[in-house]
Amino acid sequence: SPLMRAALLGLVGPNIEAGERVPRYHTRALFDLMYADLKMGIESSSVASDIIATDQPGIEGPLLEVLPQLGATASNELVMFFGERRYAPATAALVALYATPYEKETNGLLDHISQALLRIATPEAREAVMARLQQLKTSTHKRAPAEISVLLRSLAGTPASNLPWARVRAALPDQLTREQQAG
């Protein structure tokens, strides 16, 4: 229940580490409580940010299972988590989230998908990023240039050996905006 979760998180609250948004927890029992809330759709965005604040092993699979039923804000939390954990089985689900329309995207979800896939760094994940870049090249949406710019900054932080740079260049629009060139 949300009240039980809040009380348990309150107990670990004084142990919040520098730079973290919520306190880290270390028990599977607390994960199970938050996971039950997430599955029921209770406060999904706050539960999503709380549930990933752990070092618990083996929670990626259950979280991947609920990802399709979450809204954009809660999904964003899990997307970043899968990238941090370099969880390759999430690749297909992350690619599916690329279908999120700009109008429903929140907190940089589309950018975080690309960043997570680049961190996962499997050939399939890299190919998905290349496909997204190719899709953006032909997009007429006014937000596509900004997404290209963020994607270029993410690519710049990727080891040179991990990407086919000739394909990256071929997937870029013929004319880059100043913002994209600076990326």
Side-chain angles (χ1 to χ4, degrees):
S1 77
L3 290 176
M4 177 77 75
R5 178 178 52 81
L8 290 171
L9 281 174
L11 291 174
V12 296
N15 298 324
I16 195 163
E17 295 178 22
E20 293 185 340
R21 295 179 294 160
V22 296
R24 294 187 71 74
Y25 67 93
H26 304 285
T27 68
R28 183 62 187 223
L30 185 51
F31 170 82
D32 291 340
L33 286 171
M34 288 189 283
Y35 181 69
D37 288 349
L38 197 61
K39 283 184 73 167
M40 293 187 322
I42 298 173
E43 301 177 52
S44 61
S45 61
S46 65
V47 174
S49 63
D50 292 344
I51 201 167
I52 62 171
T54 186
D55 52 6
Q56 281 288 305
I59 63 171
E60 299 88 354
L63 293 176
L64 182 58
E65 182 182 306
V66 298
L67 183 64
Q69 71 191 46
L70 301 177
T73 303
S75 294
N76 196 33
E77 296 291 336
L78 297 187
V79 165
M80 292 185 291
F81 173 76
F82 293 135
E84 289 168 17
R85 295 248 177 137
R86 291 174 168 73
Y87 189 61
T91 300
L94 295 176
V95 171
L97 283 175
Y98 267 146
T100 303
Y102 286 117
E103 295 75 26
K104 292 188 177 187
E105 185 226 16
T106 59
N107 299 327
L109 174 64
L110 295 169
D111 299 331
H112 290 141
I113 293 167
S114 296
Q115 292 167 8
L117 289 167
L118 288 171
R119 290 188 84 180
I120 290 170
T122 63
E124 296 80 15
R126 288 191 304 268
E127 184 58 37
V129 173
M130 293 303 303
R132 179 65 177 184
L133 190 56
Q134 187 66 42
Q135 178 187 9
L136 291 170
K137 178 180 182 175
T138 59
S139 176
T140 58
H141 197 284
K142 66 182 180 182
R143 287 190 48 201
E147 187 179 348
I148 290 172
S149 179
V150 172
L151 187 50
L152 288 176
R153 281 193 291 277
S154 296
L155 288 169
T158 302
S161 62
N162 285 349
L163 288 172
W165 290 104
R167 280 190 61 209
V168 170
R169 180 62 190 121
L172 293 175
D174 294 331
Q175 297 291 323
L176 295 176
T177 66
R178 290 185 196 272
E179 180 183 340
Q180 291 166 330
Q181 291 173 5

